[in-house]
Amino acid sequence: MPQDQQIISIVPPEMAQQRLDQVVASLCPQYSRSQLQKWIKSGQVLVDNKPLKPKERLTGGEQIIIHATQEVQTRSEAEEMPLDIVYEDDDILVLNKPADLVVHPGAGNWSGTLVNGLLHYDPKLEYLPRAGIVHRLDKDTTGLMVVAKTLEAHNSLVEQLQERDVSREYLALVQRPVIAGGTIEGNIGRHPIDRLKMAVIEGGKEAITHYRVEERFRHHTLLRVALETGRTHQIRVHLTANNMPIVGDQLYGGRPRVPAGISGELREALQTFPRQALHATRLGLNHPITEEALEWEAPVPADMETLLALLRAEEPV
C-alpha cells in the first residue's frame, strides 16, 4: 500500500518569482525532481489550497501543501534473520554483515538476503530503493555497512559516496609478504572472457585503492585497505592484479598458495578457509541530517581471527 505524508511549507521571500517546480525542489530535496513534477501535475501539490502548473511563478509567502504518496520501492519478501546492528537512530543504521550473506536479491538468491532481513526488521524500508542499502559487500566479505532509514538520509549518503566523503577501510590477508604500502590505480570493468569476474581493463570505470601493511608474517601479510572508489570486487581485483591475492579468494586468487615447511594445522587452515579473508573493519561518514562526523569499527570475525592466530604462532617475522 502507498504511504501518505503531508508536507506543509511557507515559500520564503528569497524564492519570490521562482517557478513552483523550482521552489518545491528546493524545499523538499529528499524527493527527486521527477517525483515532485508528478505530484504537481496530479494536483497533489497545493499553493494556498489551489493546484498550479509547474512553471507558474510564486510571489513568496504562499503556503505549499504536498500530499506525498510514496510508492513501494523494494518488493522483496520480508524474512526474519539475526542482524548485528552496531548503531541506529531515526535516520540510519549501521550493521556488521556476516559471511555467507548476499546483500541484494538476484538470480539464484531471491530470498535469504540482507534486503529480506532488513524489510522484516523495519517494514518502512520498503519505501526506499533497495531497502535503504546504499553500498554493498560481497557475499563472503564481512563487516560494516550503513543503511538509510529515510529518503532524505538515502539521498545524502548516496551523494557522500559519489563525492568520496565516506571513509571505508578493510583488512585483507594476502598470500605473499608485502614490504610497504602503496596505491593501486586501474580501471575496472567486466572481464572480457569470464563474465562472472571483474578485471582491470582499458575503458573500465576509474578505481583507486590505497593499502598499507597492518601486520607481517613470513609468507603472508595483513593489509589495511582504504577505498577511494567503490567498484564491484575492487579490492579483490586490484590486489590480485598486483600479485597480492587474498587468502581464500577462489574467484580471483586461484588455488591456495601453501608455503613449504609449515605445520599441518596451518596448512589445512589455509587450504580450507572457506571465503576471501576480507573484512570491512572501519566506516566513517557525516550523519545525513545532523552532519556530525561519525565512525565505527568492527573487529575481524572469528574465522579470520583464528587464522591470524595460527599465523602469529607459526610465521612471526
Side-chain angles (χ1 to χ4, degrees), residues 230-302:
R231 308 305 175 200
T232 300
H233 298 174
Q234 178 173 322
I235 294 174
R236 300 163 66 189
V237 171
H238 268 175
L239 292 182
T240 300
N242 284 264
N243 195 30
M244 295 182 287
I246 298 174
V247 169
D249 191 344
Q250 299 178 18
L251 183 62
Y252 293 102
R255 297 180 61 182
R257 302 179 185 181
V258 180
I262 63 174
S263 70
E265 184 180 16
L266 179 56
R267 176 182 298 273
E268 182 179 4
L270 290 169
Q271 289 178 329
T272 61
F273 198 77
R275 64 180 185 90
Q276 62 268 11
L278 180 63
H279 174 68
T281 188
R282 183 175 294 169
L283 175 67
L285 52 85
N286 294 323
H287 190 278
I289 306 303
T290 67
E291 300 185 354
E292 178 186 2
L294 300 173
E295 186 174 273
W296 302 271
E297 190 157 359
V300 295

Side-chain angles (χ1 to χ4, degrees), residues 164 185-188 204-208 228-231 234:
R164 304 180 183 179
E185 298 186 43
N187 292 359
I188 291 179
K205 294 182 178 179
E206 180 190 30
I208 302 172
E228 190 167 324
T229 54
R231 308 305 175 200
Q234 178 173 322

Side-chain angles (χ1 to χ4, degrees), residues 135-154:
H135 66 119
R136 55 165 287 180
L137 294 176
D138 296 333
K139 174 185 176 182
D140 286 324
T141 298
T142 57
L144 295 170
M145 293 181 59
V146 62
V147 177
K149 295 176 64 178
T150 67
L151 194 57
E152 188 172 1
H154 183 276

Side-chain angles (χ1 to χ4, degrees), residues 174 176-184 209-216 220-225 239 242 244:
V174 300
R176 57 162 282 196
V178 179
I179 303 301
T183 295
I184 303 170
T209 304
H210 307 284
Y211 66 95
R212 68 178 190 268
V213 174
E214 182 80 4
E215 189 172 357
R216 290 187 178 89
H220 298 81
T221 309
L222 183 65
L223 299 179
R224 182 171 290 269
V225 183
L239 292 182
N242 284 264
M244 295 182 287

Side-chain angles (χ1 to χ4, degrees), residues 15-246:
M15 290 187 179
Q17 300 308 311
Q18 291 188 21
R19 297 176 353 186
L20 173 60
D21 55 1
Q22 295 172 328
V23 171
V24 294
S26 297
L27 295 177
C28 301
Q30 67 268 40
Y31 299 113
S32 68
R33 288 179 179 267
S34 61
Q35 178 66 79
L36 292 168
Q37 287 274 4
K38 179 181 176 182
W39 287 335
I40 294 171
K41 292 176 181 177
S42 66
Q44 291 175 255
V45 177
L46 300 178
V47 180
D48 290 338
N49 292 317
K50 296 179 182 178
L52 298 179
K53 294 180 179 179
K55 294 184 179 180
E56 291 194 53
R57 297 188 181 274
L58 306 182
T59 59
E62 297 97 330
Q63 181 190 67
I64 294 181
I65 299 177
I66 302 174
H67 296 280
T69 304
Q70 284 290 93
E71 300 292 335
V72 171
Q73 300 291 312
T74 304
R75 298 187 179 277
S76 301
E77 292 294 323
E79 298 177 32
E80 186 174 7
M81 68 176 61
L83 297 176
D84 182 6
I85 295 175
V86 300
Y87 174 85
E88 183 175 14
D89 60 26
D90 291 339
D91 305 292
I92 61 174
L93 66 83
V94 176
L95 58 87
N96 187 11
K97 188 186 90 65
D100 197 31
L101 178 62
V102 175
V103 171
H104 299 125
N109 292 291
W110 295 111
S111 64
T113 72
L114 179 58
V115 164
N116 300 109
L118 286 170
L119 291 175
H120 181 273
Y121 179 78
D122 185 351
K124 295 190 297 298
L125 293 176
E126 69 177 356
Y127 296 104
L128 298 179
R130 297 187 173 184
I133 293 173
V134 294
H135 66 119
R136 55 165 287 180
L137 294 176
D138 296 333
K139 174 185 176 182
D140 286 324
T141 298
T142 57
L144 295 170
M145 293 181 59
V146 62
V147 177
K149 295 176 64 178
T150 67
L151 194 57
E152 188 172 1
H154 183 276
N155 293 341
S156 172
L157 292 173
V158 168
E159 183 178 357
Q160 287 187 56
L161 285 162
Q162 292 173 342
E163 296 296 324
R164 304 180 183 179
D165 291 333
V166 175
S167 170
R168 291 169 289 170
E169 290 187 2
Y170 296 71
L171 291 172
L173 180 64
V174 300
Q175 303 184 64
R176 57 162 282 196
V178 179
I179 303 301
T183 295
I184 303 170
E185 298 186 43
N187 292 359
I188 291 179
R190 187 66 59 182
H191 194 286
I193 298 174
D194 188 344
R195 306 307 290 175
L196 295 176
K197 298 171 67 173
M198 308 299 287
V200 175
I201 60 170
E202 186 176 348
K205 294 182 178 179
E206 180 190 30
I208 302 172
T209 304
H210 307 284
Y211 66 95
R212 68 178 190 268
V213 174
E214 182 80 4
E215 189 172 357
R216 290 187 178 89
F217 309 102
R218 190 177 307 158
H219 303 290
H220 298 81
T221 309
L222 183 65
L223 299 179
R224 182 171 290 269
V225 183
L227 286 180
E228 190 167 324
T229 54
R231 308 305 175 200
T232 300
H233 298 174
Q234 178 173 322
I235 294 174
R236 300 163 66 189
V237 171
H238 268 175
L239 292 182
T240 300
N242 284 264
N243 195 30
M244 295 182 287
I246 298 174

